[in-house]
Amino acid sequence: MGNVTIKDIARICGVGVSTVSRAMNNHPDINQETKDMIMQAIEQNNYVPNNSARNLKRTDAKAIAVLVKGISNPLFNRMIKVIEQITQKEKYELVLQHVDDNQDEVTVAIELEKEKRLRGIVFLGGYFSHSEEKLKQISIPFVLSTIKLEEKDGRQEYASISVDDIKESERIVEYLLQNGHRKIAVIGSRKDDESIGWLRLQGYRRALERYHVAVDEELICYVPGNLATYSMEAGYEMTDQLLKKGTAFTALFAMSDRMAVGACKAILDHGGSIPDQYSVVGFDGMDVAQYYNPSITTIRQPVEEMAEATIRMLLELIRKKNKSRHLVFEGQLIEGQSVRNITE
Amino acid sequence: MGNVTIKDIARICGVGVSTVSRAMNNHPDINQETKDMIMQAIEQNNYVPNNSARNLKRTDAKAIAVLVKGISNPLFNRMIKVIEQITQKEKYELVLQHVDDNQDEVTVAIELEKEKRLRGIVFLGGYFSHSEEKLKQISIPFVLSTIKLEEKDGRQEYASISVDDIKESERIVEYLLQNGHRKIAVIGSRKDDESIGWLRLQGYRRALERYHVAVDEELICYVPGNLATYSMEAGYEMTDQLLKKGTAFTALFAMSDRMAVGACKAILDHGGSIPDQYSVVGFDGMDVAQYYNPSITTIRQPVEEMAEATIRMLLELIRKKNKSRHLVFEGQLIEGQSVRNITE
């Protein structure tokens, strides 16, 4: 059968075209049996609705763009899945666009905005330290997700959804301090990071300060440009270097679970044991932290809830039902098998 | 500064509009210093090209769609990255569309094809057992990637890029057999899988057959509908059940590295040791196999090369420079620390 039309389906089912149309559009005024029969015929005959009314609607379709920075972050996959489900329900098309590490996401957004159907933008991840001047060039609503822009004077001009990276990082480092650790190595992001990596490093510094432990810059590892940030490889290489240098430490805080996995492997390859000789903690709450051997203590970010809040906030902004707000989600410390209390 | 125009940039730099245009378009007929100055002014003034010629070109843009089945597969992220780079170079726009497990990707494709700009489609992953009748409704070129459609009479109507899942699976099971294992458990996909999972199970059966080992159906674990296929959780739960039942086995083949990680964790949680008591192998060649403790023996799929071949093949089909072909890539057995020779 070539190109099946709505008339063919109506003929096959012995009903009128309008009944087929009602079945497809979930119209309440049709009985379930008839509807099931029609839907089955549609499926069996591979009928794809293609009438002009639908095409008209299509050209008219509203779209939302999600700009994803850092495609290799599996957390984002889980978030995109949630965003897709909600946009679909709300009858928006979704434009997914990945942004390279060396691309500027705001420039990409300004370019994308020219797409006539675009009603709003989600920025997912990225190094968010853009000038307000540049952000002002985006004239449709947008939400920053898993990132936050520090605004002068405490204004809240830009909508954002995130955890409090400083506080959560402080929490997990404090957990290490409570377990008696004082020489705590940290594997962060790039040295010039002004985003997540910088915030998490502030949390590290604050926790040490509160415990009157001097910060030893030797224990702070930045990931060089030849290694992907937050990757297992980066965690491995940085820890390997630290151990080769012979720098003394009893605990290590990796700013992502993937880096924590690499760090554990480097320690094990050097003949070290976890947590007997070295305690290791991560950040994010990915499944690999749970299933690693040993399982890795981490901060779980509630990414599904954050994704839902992101798209709901954007829809409210599009419908002018709300003003820009900063929503901060609470992380959760998940205890694994990777930390030892060295005072016991 | 409000909306910056090309005239503003020309004025700021003290050059003509055509010079700015040449700088932006990488025209050879402009000296490097002038070009640098112009590009700097563009950057500093947040100028975004917005002239009508460019807009015209935009409406006219050609696009390629990538339909991704199984968003949580990190291998696909690496492949999309490669596909993005090449399409960008070749001046195609990329439409990324995720397909839910319960959505039919061919229906999604037929719907997408109505987008006027679409020149070709890549199907990435999925359970590919579609009727040819339905596939014939797609009238633009498409390539199946990491999947292959078994065609009757050995015809090659559909372009595809994949590894030989039967052969590679046979290879890794044979490796276990060579190491003396006879009771080899396998963690696969859904029981009714007609795609990758089915092919890899064929490879398992063939290897046993070649070594005259009877297949014990008790050792074949299918993942039930409440667990995500190929996930760490599925690997954990299936192995946990196997161990609780007391089924005897000395080795386990998980059809993905992520399931192998879950399997290892379940064995360890049951007090078992790897590889002393249980040998474990995976499939895919992901970084988690390399960094797990112990590192996991696996089959590496050359996904970056496969991604490049996918998009190149599609471009050739679009330009009518070639016919549909099946390209089969060779996997590579990567030895980890997770297999013991039990004959020694």
Side-chain angles (χ1 to χ4, degrees):
Chain A
M1 200 152 181
N3 252 337
V4 182
T5 69
I6 192 167
K7 281 181 193 163
D8 295 323
I9 299 295
R11 189 177 41 73
I12 289 163
C13 299
V15 299
V17 165
S18 63
T19 308
V20 178
S21 170
R22 276 207 295 278
M24 289 192 303
N25 294 314
N26 278 317
H27 198 284
D29 189 17
I30 179 170
N31 83 54
Q32 191 61 42
E33 255 174 67
T34 312
K35 189 178 161 184
D36 289 347
M37 175 186 65
I38 292 168
M39 294 317 283
Q40 207 184 337
I42 285 173
E43 176 64 31
Q44 281 170 354
N45 294 280
N46 304 322
Y47 166 59
V48 181
N50 190 15
N51 56 47
S52 53
R54 211 179 143 94
N55 278 343
L56 202 70
K57 213 170 121 199
R58 195 174 168 77
T59 331
D60 216 39
K62 309 162 296 181
I64 282 170
V66 177
L67 265 66
V68 189
K69 191 116 181 185
I71 186 170
S72 51
N73 187 340
L75 282 185
F76 292 161
N77 285 351
R78 283 159 58 193
M79 296 186 75
I80 292 167
K81 209 164 176 173
V82 173
I83 291 173
E84 278 187 327
Q85 283 162 355
I86 297 174
T87 45
Q88 204 168 5
K89 250 186 234 160
E90 303 281 340
K91 313 273 183 224
Y92 279 84
E93 279 186 39
L94 195 66
V95 178
L96 262 183
Q97 174 98 29
H98 292 101
V99 185
D100 261 354
D101 264 354
N102 50 16
Q103 262 181 313
D104 178 281
E105 52 265 52
V106 178
T107 305
V108 174
I110 295 168
E111 184 64 25
L112 255 185
E113 199 195 313
K114 290 176 196 157
E115 231 201 285
K116 300 279 184 303
R117 305 168 302 153
L118 214 59
R119 298 287 190 275
I121 299 171
V122 171
F123 289 96
L124 201 54
Y127 306 99
F128 232 82
S129 51
H130 296 280
S131 69
E132 297 198 13
E133 202 179 335
K134 193 154 187 186
L135 282 170
K136 284 218 171 74
Q137 292 190 37
I138 305 176
S139 61
I140 55 176
F142 62 90
V143 176
L144 315 179
S145 191
T146 73
I147 35 176
K148 200 181 144 189
L149 194 67
E150 291 296 329
E151 288 166 66
K152 299 168 206 125
D153 344 316
R155 282 175 306 125
Q156 302 208 338
E157 197 160 348
Y158 304 112
S160 73
I161 304 280
S162 65
V163 295
D164 183 333
D165 283 283
I166 296 180
K167 197 182 85 182
E168 301 301 343
S169 163
E170 191 176 347
R171 185 205 305 246
I172 200 154
V173 176
E174 192 178 346
Y175 175 81
L176 289 172
L177 290 158
Q178 284 164 350
N179 279 280
H181 297 278
R182 292 298 177 267
K183 288 183 176 303
I184 303 171
V186 57
I187 300 182
S189 180
R190 307 269 184 239
K191 194 158 193 170
D192 61 355
D193 187 343
E194 296 180 324
S195 182
I196 298 288
W198 186 83
L199 295 170
R200 293 185 188 167
L201 194 56
Q202 294 314 301
Y204 167 83
R205 290 181 190 276
R206 281 194 197 176
L208 292 189
E209 203 172 297
R210 214 140 47 79
Y211 276 70
H212 309 293
V213 177
V215 172
D216 178 357
E217 299 291 334
E218 284 281 300
L219 289 175
I220 302 177
C221 309
Y222 300 100
V223 174
N226 62 323
L227 296 171
T229 49
Y230 303 108
S231 66
M232 291 187 191
E233 189 190 8
Y236 187 92
E237 293 299 330
M238 302 319 290
T239 308
D240 182 56
Q241 283 176 27
L242 208 57
L243 292 165
K244 277 183 181 152
K245 272 195 296 185
T247 319
F249 64 99
T250 64
L252 185 147
F253 164 40
M255 288 187 190
S256 75
D257 288 339
R258 296 178 58 77
M259 288 202 295
V261 162
C264 285
K265 187 68 177 175
I267 289 170
L268 296 162
D269 280 356
H270 275 265
S273 62
I274 305 164
D276 283 346
Q277 283 175 279
Y278 296 96
S279 294
V280 176
V281 299
F283 200 108
D284 282 340
M286 287 177 48
D287 52 0
V288 75
Q290 181 186 345
Y291 291 107
Y292 199 72
N293 172 33
S295 60
I296 299 167
T297 298
T298 187
I299 293 282
R300 194 183 85 89
Q301 300 199 60
V303 286
E304 277 84 5
E305 294 93 318
M306 288 166 74
E308 180 166 355
T310 297
I311 189 69
R312 297 261 176 245
M313 187 183 282
L314 184 63
L315 290 169
E316 285 176 6
L317 290 172
I318 292 170
R319 292 163 187 162
K320 300 195 197 321
K321 282 198 179 155
N322 224 321
K323 298 218 161 195
S324 287
R325 286 173 301 155
H326 295 313
L327 272 191
V328 177
F329 279 73
E330 193 81 12
Q332 190 188 353
L333 192 130
I334 310 276
E335 287 188 302
Q337 310 156 322
S338 62
V339 175
R340 185 170 76 93
N341 188 326
I342 58 172
T343 63
E344 283 167 0
Chain B
M1 204 151 179
N3 252 337
V4 182
T5 69
I6 192 168
K7 282 183 193 164
D8 295 323
I9 299 296
R11 189 176 39 74
I12 289 162
C13 298
V15 299
V17 165
S18 63
T19 307
V20 177
S21 170
R22 276 206 296 277
M24 289 192 305
N25 295 315
N26 279 317
H27 197 284
D29 190 18
I30 178 170
N31 84 55
Q32 192 60 42
E33 255 175 66
T34 311
K35 189 179 162 187
D36 290 347
M37 173 185 68
I38 292 168
M39 295 317 283
Q40 205 183 340
I42 286 173
E43 178 62 32
Q44 281 169 354
N45 294 279
N46 305 320
Y47 166 59
V48 182
N50 190 15
N51 56 49
S52 53
R54 212 180 143 95
N55 278 343
L56 202 69
K57 212 170 121 198
R58 194 174 170 78
T59 330
D60 216 37
K62 310 163 292 180
I64 283 170
V66 178
L67 264 67
V68 189
K69 192 116 182 187
I71 184 169
S72 51
N73 187 340
L75 282 186
F76 292 162
N77 285 350
R78 283 161 55 196
M79 296 186 74
I80 292 167
K81 211 165 174 172
V82 173
I83 292 173
E84 278 187 327
Q85 283 163 353
I86 296 173
T87 45
Q88 206 168 3
K89 249 186 237 160
E90 302 282 339
K91 312 275 184 220
Y92 279 84
E93 278 187 39
L94 194 66
V95 178
L96 262 183
Q97 175 97 28
H98 291 100
V99 185
D100 262 355
D101 263 354
N102 48 17
Q103 263 181 310
D104 179 281
E105 52 265 51
V106 178
T107 306
V108 174
I110 295 168
E111 184 65 26
L112 254 186
E113 198 194 314
K114 291 176 195 156
E115 231 200 287
K116 301 280 185 306
R117 305 169 301 154
L118 215 59
R119 299 286 190 275
I121 299 173
V122 171
F123 289 97
L124 201 53
Y127 305 99
F128 231 84
S129 50
H130 296 281
S131 69
E132 296 197 17
E133 202 178 336
K134 194 154 187 186
L135 281 170
K136 285 220 170 73
Q137 293 189 36
I138 305 176
S139 61
I140 55 175
F142 61 90
V143 176
L144 314 178
S145 191
T146 74
I147 36 178
K148 200 183 146 188
L149 194 68
E150 291 296 329
E151 287 166 66
K152 300 168 204 124
D153 344 317
R155 281 176 307 125
Q156 304 207 338
E157 197 159 350
Y158 304 112
S160 72
I161 304 280
S162 65
V163 296
D164 184 333
D165 283 283
I166 296 180
K167 196 183 86 181
E168 301 301 342
S169 163
E170 192 176 346
R171 185 205 305 247
I172 199 154
V173 175
E174 192 177 348
Y175 176 81
L176 290 172
L177 289 158
Q178 285 164 348
N179 279 279
H181 297 278
R182 292 298 177 267
K183 290 183 175 299
I184 302 171
V186 57
I187 300 182
S189 180
R190 307 269 184 240
K191 195 160 192 168
D192 62 355
D193 187 343
E194 296 179 325
S195 182
I196 298 287
W198 185 81
L199 295 171
R200 293 187 188 166
L201 194 56
Q202 294 315 303
Y204 168 83
R205 290 182 191 277
R206 282 194 197 175
L208 292 189
E209 204 172 296
R210 211 135 53 75
Y211 276 70
H212 309 292
V213 177
V215 172
D216 178 358
E217 298 291 334
E218 284 282 300
L219 289 174
I220 302 178
C221 310
Y222 301 100
V223 175
N226 63 324
L227 295 172
T229 50
Y230 304 106
S231 65
M232 290 187 191
E233 189 189 7
Y236 186 92
E237 293 300 331
M238 302 319 291
T239 308
D240 182 56
Q241 284 176 27
L242 208 58
L243 292 165
K244 278 182 181 151
K245 273 196 293 187
T247 319
F249 64 98
T250 64
L252 186 147
F253 165 41
M255 288 188 191
S256 76
D257 288 339
R258 294 176 60 76
M259 289 203 294
V261 162
C264 286
K265 188 67 178 177
I267 289 170
L268 296 162
D269 280 358
H270 275 265
S273 62
I274 305 164
D276 284 346
Q277 283 175 276
Y278 296 97
S279 293
V280 177
V281 299
F283 199 109
D284 283 341
M286 288 177 48
D287 51 2
V288 76
Q290 180 185 348
Y291 291 107
Y292 199 71
N293 171 33
S295 59
I296 299 167
T297 298
T298 188
I299 294 281
R300 194 184 86 89
Q301 301 198 60
V303 288
E304 277 85 5
E305 292 92 319
M306 289 165 73
E308 180 165 353
T310 298
I311 189 69
R312 297 258 177 248
M313 187 183 283
L314 184 63
L315 290 169
E316 284 175 7
L317 290 172
I318 292 171
R319 293 165 187 160
K320 301 195 194 323
K321 284 199 178 153
N322 224 321
K323 297 216 163 198
S324 286
R325 285 173 301 155
H326 296 312
L327 272 191
V328 176
F329 279 74
E330 193 80 12
Q332 190 188 354
L333 192 130
I334 310 277
E335 288 189 299
Q337 311 155 323
S338 63
V339 175
R340 185 169 75 92
N341 188 326
I342 59 172
T343 63
E344 283 166 2

